[in-house]
Amino acid sequence: MKASQGEAPGKCILFGEHAVVYGYPALAAAIEMGSFCQIAPNSQEGISWNFSNFATSLKWSITDDIPDSSFAHFLYCLQKLAQDFSIEINNLEITISSHLWSNSGLGSSASSASAFIKAINNYYSLELTLDQLNEYTLYMEGFIHGTPSGLDNSTVNYGGVIHFQKGIVRNLDKFSPIPILIVDSGIAHDTKEAIIRVKDLFTEDPNKITNIFENISSICEQGILAIKSDNLEILGALMNKNHKLLQELNLSTPKIEEIRWIGDQTGIFGSKITGAGLGGAIIAVGSPQSLDLFQDKLNHQKIPSILTWIKPN
Ligand code: PMV
């Protein structure tokens, strides 16, 4: 067997996080940063797993009992692939790494999972279809997030910008690349916790929260029009509106608001939480000049950020 690789992008959510869990639409985009997996034959018995970002090396074989580990979903998926495709899996060296900030809403878990499945697919020539790749990625995501909407795995696998609702994915095409600044609030977030908090609010006052979700849904549909007409000013204004609704769901933090305030001083068009909130990343759109200025100001405060482009697939 020859060594094989797999890679997958990360993602950011332009509009519709949380509402998407309740069946409303969301708009998300693949980003240039991503994850990588290398698989090589191992001279030793068993499977060596290296999770580079976590400086963790493990040794599990395919027949091991399911271990109690935050990396166990990689083994579960390998066991499932071995069963589904009747392949014998042994003596592998698997290395997984990611350039994405973890627990920040940039899809590091879905991206690493997709890169891993692609590398297995290449190593054993499984000829997985894109839809199968996406199903196995969602299977892995289930162990991390409980009941994921399917948005993260669909974005990292189908790429470009996607409109997602209840598992149906539509790629947006024919729009000009959008400059975007992704900022790290420095606070790792817990997606499960954020989802539970929103669920509690929903149980307390279903009418109020349904109204918020409906507004987010309308913003999402307007966002598609803004992207298709290359209108970044409207796109930014819509991000501000979506962010305000996420604030009403108690998902923002003082640090996020401080970062957005710095952005507002530089003439950007808008910014918002991307992903579950309670920390994690913030995205901003504006002219390339205003985003450069925003990034300069963040650099002075040692706040990490990445200037990138969102493009059609
Ligand atoms: O894990 P994150 O931060 O990318 O959040 C995912 C987006 C949610 O809508 C909060 C959850 C989901 O499954 O769609």
Side-chain angles (χ1 to χ4, degrees), residues 27 161-165 168-172 221 224 228:
L27 211 57
V161 173
I162 66 159
H163 175 275
F164 178 96
Q165 187 168 19
I168 297 179
V169 177
R170 220 161 24 97
N171 263 103
L172 257 69
E221 300 304 334
I224 297 175
K228 289 205 165 215

Side-chain angles (χ1 to χ4, degrees), residues 11 13 17-18 20-21 105 145 148-149 151-152 189 191 195 275-276:
K11 69 100 201 11
I13 300 176
E17 48 273 272
H18 288 285
V20 70
V21 175
H145 296 311
S149 65
L151 177 63
D152 281 22
H189 74 191
T191 302
I195 289 174

